[in-house]
Structures are given as structure tokens and as C-alpha cells.
Amino acid sequence: MTTSISTWFWSDRFWLPENVSWADLEHPPPGVEYPRLGDLVCVLPLAVGVFLLRKLFERLVAKPCAHILQIEAGVPRRAQPNAVLERLYQSKTSPDTRQLEGLSKQLDWDVRKIQRWFRIRRNQDRPSLQKKFCESMWRFTFYLLTFLYSMYHLWMSPWMWDTRHCWYNYPFQSLVPGQYNHYVAELAFYWSLMFSQFIDIKRKDFIIMLVHHLATIILITFSYANNMVRAGTLVMCVHDASDIFLEAAKLANYAKYQRLCDGLFVVFSISFFFTRLVIFPFWIVYSVLFESWEIAGPYQAWWLFNGLLLVLQTLHIIWFYLIARIAIKAIFKGKVSKDDRSDIESSSDEENHSSYNKTSLKPKNFNHSSGLNGETHDH
């Protein structure tokens, strides 16, 4: 039964152009290698290695840098032990009005005191400024190194300058080591982010980031199996480019270099515009939509991949609108917007809002993966 399901899922008619089968790709000419799904078996062990490398990097490199910049971990105030409130907190971190009133009668506590307990308890679970600095420094280092590596190999490739080469003789295109290394590195990185989400302190954007990382992993994996590797490396390179400036802006923000932070965020906004709203749609998506149709012809998976790319481009437009609003504030008001994702809450929030909503006091985290596209994403 497993074999029949696998055969149905990996149907030649769906994934490959007309008159091409998986059997054709299993026997390349001597000296030629085609991408195979089995090549990615090493990704999960490597993802564990990347996660351990991240921990080592944060301890030996990022944390000393944080100390030099006087970014301390800080010790959050601890909430008074209370079994009833703790039990509710595990299922709902922000109780509604009815629950607050019920707790007030049950514990004989003032409603404001219960609100304060939940605020302090939430702050206990929030990552410190130093931890966020270390996380951003790791991502900045990864994005910078992978971007430089991909540019080094793409610079010498013909499809970097003429995207029609992505489709000549498709899917019988030889896999080069640089492409394989790039794919494995990106997949291992995103799998490691998946792991870390369940180990690290849970944040408000947990589900959004989980979906984002999972979607990214699926797209990268299927594009490799389908030998859309040439276009895939271009997509990953374009996305990494602007993320470098995003993480740099966050580092400056955590170090309290506000002007540098604002300037880097403006640079990020400009780079995001050119990479995601100019290069990506008019260079890469155009090639996958029109040049591939002309040279290789459409097939069923072709519609799937193009549909996903168009959805991604729609998200880029929405993200840029939100990013541009923040950048304009940085230019004209001299400070980037606040972050409601993971920073410390103020006690005045509960005093000023009868609906018990919360805000934050710290400057913007800038995480377009969480606030705008679900990390990153960040890809």
C-alpha cells in the first residue's frame, strides 16, 4: 500500500514535463548527476548539527559581543507562586474579563492584582534582550555567509545573467556541487529553526513561524526533487539578500544604536523593494512563468510552483507596505515603531485598557518573518 501511495504521489504526469519519467532521471550520462530526493537524507542530521552549532556560536561569539555592547541578560521579576493562576496560565496567558472576575471571587484578589500577576508571568517567559541579540547575530551570520556563497557560484553561472538557461534541456540539467551545498545548507537551517521552536521559549508567533518554516522546507524540497534547482538557487539568493540588513538593523536596535538602527532599516526597506518587488517578479517569476513555458512547456507541477510563487509575490507586496510604513516613521520621526511580539509589557497597559490588551515598551523587533510573513523568515 505504501508503494502504491508513493507511486501515485510521485506521478510522472504531475511532476515532470510530457514524455519524461523518473526512470529517465535515474540513469544520467557518465559524469553527470541529476538531483534525487534521496540526496537530502543527510539534511535532518545536519539540521541537528546546525542547531548545536548555533548554540555554540551564541555562547562563544554572540554572547561575548553582547557583553562588549553592554547588552545584559537581566533577571525578570518572578510571579508569586499560585497553583490556580498557573494552571489557567498554561492554557491561556491572557484571561478575558469574565475569567478575571471569576478568579477575583475565587482567590479574593483584586482584579488589577490578578492582571499584574499575569503580566509578570508573561514577562518571565519572554526572551531577554541578550538572547534576542544572540539569535539575530546567528541569523545575520548565516544569511551573510549563504548569500556570499550563492553569489560566488551564481556569478560564474550562465543562468545568473540569462534566466533562459534555467530551462534549456530541462529537466536533464546536471547538478553542480555548489547548488547541492546551497540547498542542503538552506534546508538544514530551516529544519533547525523548526527544532528550536519546540525547545526555545514559545512566542506569540509560534504557529505563524511553524507554518512559514514548513512551507519553506516543502518548497525547497520539491523544487530540488523536480530539478528546478537553477531557479531555486536564484530565489533563495534573492531572499537572503535583504534579510542580511534586517538582522543587522535588529542588532543595532538591541545595542541601542538608534540612528544606525533606523538607517539600516531604511537600507533593508530599499533592498527589500529591489529584491522582492523588482528582481523577483520581473526576473525570476517572469522566467518561471513565460520562459519555461516557451522552452520546456507547461505541465501539472508547473502550475503548482507558479501558483506558489505568485502567492509569495502577493505577500511581498503586503510586507513591503508594512515595512515602508515603519521606514517612513524612521526617516521622519527618527525612531522605528514598537514591537508587540516578545518584549516586556508595562503595568500601565492594564490600567489604561479595560479590554486587558497589552502593548510593549521596547523598540521594534523588525522580524518581518513573524510580524509581516510569519521569520522570514524570514524565505
Side-chain angles (χ1 to χ4, degrees):
M1 182 177 178
T2 305
T3 305
S4 61
I5 293 174
S6 177
T7 303
W8 168 80
F9 184 82
W10 294 106
S11 167
D12 297 341
R13 292 186 60 189
F14 181 82
W15 292 104
L16 298 171
E18 191 176 354
N19 300 323
V20 179
S21 68
W22 293 114
D24 298 330
L25 297 173
E26 289 176 1
H27 305 287
V32 174
E33 286 291 333
Y34 297 144
R36 298 178 183 177
L37 193 61
D39 299 340
L40 303 180
V41 171
C42 65
V43 165
L44 288 179
L46 282 175
V48 177
V50 169
F51 176 75
L52 296 175
L53 179 63
R54 169 197 154 187
K55 293 297 183 182
L56 198 64
F57 177 88
E58 290 180 356
R59 179 182 292 270
L60 300 180
V61 179
K63 190 171 287 187
C65 290
H67 286 312
I68 292 172
L69 295 169
Q70 299 181 341
I71 303 173
E72 300 301 329
V75 180
R77 180 183 172 188
R78 304 196 68 81
Q80 174 185 344
N82 188 295
V84 174
L85 297 181
E86 183 66 30
R87 187 163 53 250
L88 177 60
Y89 177 82
Q90 295 304 321
S91 60
K92 190 171 185 179
T93 58
S94 300
D96 56 32
T97 307
R98 184 181 57 81
Q99 289 172 317
L100 285 170
E101 291 173 350
L103 289 168
S104 177
K105 293 176 182 179
Q106 181 181 353
L107 300 173
D108 195 24
W109 280 19
D110 183 80
V111 169
R112 187 165 296 177
K113 183 178 179 180
I114 298 173
Q115 289 177 304
R116 190 177 301 111
W117 188 94
F118 276 93
R119 172 174 54 83
I120 295 171
R121 185 65 183 84
R122 286 192 295 269
N123 286 340
Q124 276 182 225
D125 285 352
R126 287 188 169 84
S128 67
L129 205 61
Q130 184 185 95
K131 181 173 177 60
K132 291 191 288 184
F133 177 88
C134 293
E135 290 177 353
S136 287
M137 191 168 182
W138 164 249
R139 288 194 295 267
F140 169 80
T141 303
F142 175 83
Y143 292 140
L144 178 63
L145 292 178
T146 52
F147 175 74
L148 292 175
Y149 181 84
S150 62
M151 282 301 297
Y152 173 77
H153 288 279
L154 286 171
W155 197 267
M156 299 179 290
S157 65
W159 53 89
M160 170 78 170
W161 312 106
D162 183 1
T163 51
R164 295 174 66 87
H165 283 274
C166 291
W167 313 109
Y168 290 145
N169 200 34
Y170 175 82
F172 301 102
Q173 297 172 341
S174 179
L175 178 70
V176 298
Q179 294 172 325
Y180 175 74
N181 294 337
H182 190 188
Y183 261 77
V184 167
E186 294 277 1
L187 272 176
F189 177 72
Y190 280 102
W191 272 115
S192 73
L193 292 181
M194 287 273 288
F195 298 153
S196 64
Q197 277 203 291
F198 294 94
I199 299 173
D200 292 342
I201 296 170
K202 285 192 177 182
R203 299 182 181 179
K204 286 168 54 178
D205 60 351
F206 175 83
I207 297 298
I208 296 173
M209 293 305 299
L210 185 66
V211 172
H212 172 264
H213 297 332
L214 188 60
T216 302
I217 288 168
I218 291 171
L219 281 170
I220 295 176
T221 302
F222 284 163
S223 70
Y224 183 87
N226 205 40
N227 202 8
M228 284 190 172
V229 172
R230 294 182 178 182
T233 51
L234 293 174
V235 171
M236 291 187 291
C237 181
V238 163
H239 281 73
D240 285 343
S242 59
D243 287 339
I244 296 169
F245 298 106
L246 172 68
E247 298 302 332
K250 289 163 67 175
L251 291 173
N253 174 54
Y254 299 143
K256 293 181 171 58
Y257 292 112
Q258 191 61 48
R259 289 195 176 185
L260 177 61
C261 164
D262 293 341
L264 284 170
F265 192 81
V266 172
V267 173
F268 160 68
S269 303
I270 296 170
S271 67
F272 188 96
F273 174 80
F274 281 106
T275 55
R276 310 284 183 99
L277 299 186
V278 178
I279 295 176
F280 181 72
F282 296 109
W283 183 42
I284 299 175
V285 175
Y286 175 85
S287 177
V288 180
L289 267 174
F290 300 107
E291 292 176 348
S292 67
W293 179 296
E294 178 186 343
I295 297 170
Y299 51 100
Q300 293 182 45
W302 180 93
W303 295 99
L304 171 65
F305 284 118
N306 277 287
L308 292 173
L309 288 176
L310 291 174
V311 169
L312 184 58
Q313 182 54 39
T314 304
L315 292 175
H316 287 165
I317 295 170
I318 298 171
W319 298 337
F320 181 74
Y321 167 73
L322 299 172
I323 291 168
R325 291 176 59 186
I326 299 171
I328 290 170
K329 289 181 182 178
I331 294 171
F332 293 103
K333 296 186 179 181
K335 191 171 183 179
V336 182
S337 302
K338 297 178 181 179
D339 178 26
D340 64 354
R341 177 172 177 255
S342 58
D343 290 316
I344 305 301
E345 300 173 51
S346 67
S347 58
S348 62
D349 298 332
E350 292 158 354
E351 296 169 3
N352 295 334
H353 296 276
S354 59
S355 61
Y356 313 120
N357 289 333
K358 64 175 183 284
T359 62
S360 70
L361 294 176
K362 299 290 183 183
K364 181 72 180 178
N365 183 298
F366 303 133
N367 196 333
H368 73 291
S369 299
S370 61
L372 305 180
N373 78 345
E375 202 91 87
T376 143
H377 255 150
D378 9 33
H379 304 281

